[in-house]
Amino acid sequence: MAAGAIIYDPAYRNHDTGNHVESSSRLDAVMQGIAENEYARRVAILKPYRATIDQVKANHDARYIAGVRRLADAGGGWLDADTYCSSQSYAVAMLAVGGAICAVDAVMADVSNAFALVRPPGHHAVRNKAMGFCIFNNVACAAKYAMASHDLERILIVDWDVHHGNGTEAAFYEDQRVLYFSTHQRPFYPGTGDYEDVGAGDGKGFNINVPLSPGVNDDGYNYIYETLLAPIAAQFEPELTFISAGQDIHYADPIGGMCATANCFRELTERIKTVSPEGQVIAVLEGGYDLEALANSTIAICGSLFGFATSFVEEDVELGISQDVRARVEKVKEIQARYWDL
Ligand SMILES: [Zn+2]
């Protein structure tokens, strides 16, 4: 099996959001961090292709897709209160979906793991509207593509972004082929992601929400992954795993209230690799708004995915698993024990 790959295109800069917090400087910071790291810069970079309309239609209404295109063609404007669409944003959003799909094709061929460094992010985008900086749901489209084109039947999506991925949850809420596991701050944007939202119909038990108070640290996240994700994923046996990689749980992030360090992202990625028996893990960039924290955290993930050492000096961070995290894990266990051996 060939080494891993980063999926990136400088065209992702062309989703021009002005001085919005979700700007092209995020990917610039990540790519600069990669260029300055002697191991990360040796990882192959694949150029994504643009998704076809049908690939995006698998998860979005045709009218919504056409509406984004019209707004971009007319010079741009706001898709919702948070989400800007520039004249190039339709093309870039299609390329972001294409980046996640390209990662699927790469790992289904001969690449071990992949990281799609894309923007705009995707996990809030729902079937018929943009939300929270997201235009099309990159991970949802790619997971649907993997099921349709590579005949996969068990896909795990782990979403550690500080915000709940309402769009991804909705995409697979009644689908037992996709297990969605999200840790997120709650109450917080977008307001979804409660314990009892476990899926519906055939998808009942395949949606796992771990709502958290602010302040969760490295030990807390590791505990959640060890106690909940590991046993559930071992029973689910994913054929392919996506990480909705939102690095806005870093302690320096200006939006999120969590306390993860860059090293934590590596540890969580290691745990996700362990619970993915087929080996293939695809990270897709979601949030993360402190430029240095985003770059370091992303390189830490790459270190795990692509097998090189990383170490970051962190401020004094609090250690230990809080009582609040333990209590929340117990509550998730109690609810999910209806569906899983926990
Ligand atoms: Zn986020």
Side-chain angles (χ1 to χ4, degrees):
M1 183 158 285
I6 287 168
I7 322 290
Y8 173 73
D9 193 312
Y12 289 133
R13 306 187 82 265
N14 300 341
H15 169 50
D16 182 2
T17 54
N19 58 7
H20 194 287
V21 66
E22 199 295 290
S23 72
S24 58
S25 55
R26 297 176 62 236
L27 277 184
D28 291 348
V30 170
M31 295 313 289
Q32 192 187 331
I34 288 172
E36 288 169 1
N37 182 294
E38 60 173 314
Y39 304 108
R41 68 169 170 248
R42 289 187 214 153
V43 178
I45 296 186
L46 299 181
K47 250 185 175 315
Y49 28 78
R50 192 170 159 165
T52 65
I53 301 238
D54 279 344
Q55 287 166 345
V56 181
K57 265 203 315 213
N59 194 63
H60 295 281
D61 280 347
R63 284 180 63 174
Y64 166 60
I65 300 169
V68 175
R69 182 177 194 161
R70 268 198 309 277
L71 183 62
D73 285 350
W78 290 92
L79 284 161
D80 86 331
D82 306 310
T83 315
Y84 191 71
C85 173
S86 71
S87 62
Q88 296 298 308
S89 293
Y90 173 76
V92 179
M94 297 296 277
L95 194 64
V97 173
I101 286 177
C102 180
V104 171
D105 285 338
V107 302
M108 295 316 292
D110 61 350
V111 165
S112 55
N113 301 307
F115 201 147
L117 290 172
V118 303
R119 59 182 290 274
H123 72 155
H124 296 306
V126 293
R127 198 151 188 98
N128 58 1
K129 66 176 186 218
M131 280 180 70
F133 320 162
C134 302
I135 296 179
F136 302 133
N137 194 317
N138 307 314
V139 168
C141 291
K144 289 188 175 180
Y145 170 80
M147 292 192 288
S149 300
H150 293 281
D151 292 326
L152 300 186
E153 291 176 338
R154 290 185 314 281
I155 295 180
L156 170 64
I157 300 174
V158 183
D159 187 336
W160 65 47
D161 190 286
V162 74
H163 303 96
H164 180 244
N166 60 298
T168 310
E169 174 184 270
F172 305 109
Y173 205 64
E174 298 183 22
D175 193 337
Q176 66 196 4
R177 298 171 301 169
V178 178
L179 174 64
Y180 179 66
F181 182 96
S182 175
T183 47
H184 46 272
Q185 190 170 323
R186 192 169 196 272
F188 206 45
Y189 184 88
T192 48
D194 206 355
Y195 294 103
E196 291 285 354
D197 299 336
V198 296
D202 289 344
K204 214 166 188 182
F206 294 89
N207 196 74
I208 294 153
N209 284 323
V210 188
L212 298 166
S213 309
V216 180
N217 61 9
D218 295 14
D219 288 342
Y221 277 108
N222 274 287
Y223 177 70
I224 293 164
Y225 274 45
E226 184 186 342
T227 318
L228 296 171
L229 179 65
I232 291 172
Q235 292 162 64
F236 181 67
E237 297 184 325
E239 298 167 297
L240 177 67
T241 301
F242 288 93
I243 304 174
S244 256
Q247 278 69 277
D248 45 12
I249 54 171
H250 191 282
Y251 65 81
D253 194 87
I255 293 181
M258 297 308 187
C259 295
T261 69
N263 296 321
C264 181
F265 291 89
R266 183 184 185 108
E267 293 161 3
L268 299 186
T269 308
E270 284 297 317
R271 289 183 184 277
I272 291 168
K273 279 168 63 185
T274 306
V275 300
S276 308
E278 303 289 329
Q280 285 104 344
V281 176
I282 295 171
V284 180
L285 185 64
E286 302 281 3
Y289 304 99
D290 178 86
L291 298 182
E292 189 186 347
L294 173 64
N296 287 345
S297 304
T298 301
I299 288 165
I301 299 162
C302 288
S304 169
L305 288 179
F306 309 131
F308 60 83
T310 56
S311 164
F312 298 94
V313 180
E314 307 280 3
E315 279 176 24
D316 277 342
V317 286
E318 209 178 300
L319 300 175
I321 305 156
S322 72
Q323 278 314 311
D324 183 67
V325 165
R326 286 183 194 278
R328 285 163 183 273
V329 165
E330 282 316 302
K331 183 147 187 198
V332 176
K333 255 183 166 176
E334 192 185 302
I335 290 164
Q336 295 293 341
R338 298 175 206 148
Y339 314 102
W340 306 95
D341 241 335
L342 288 171

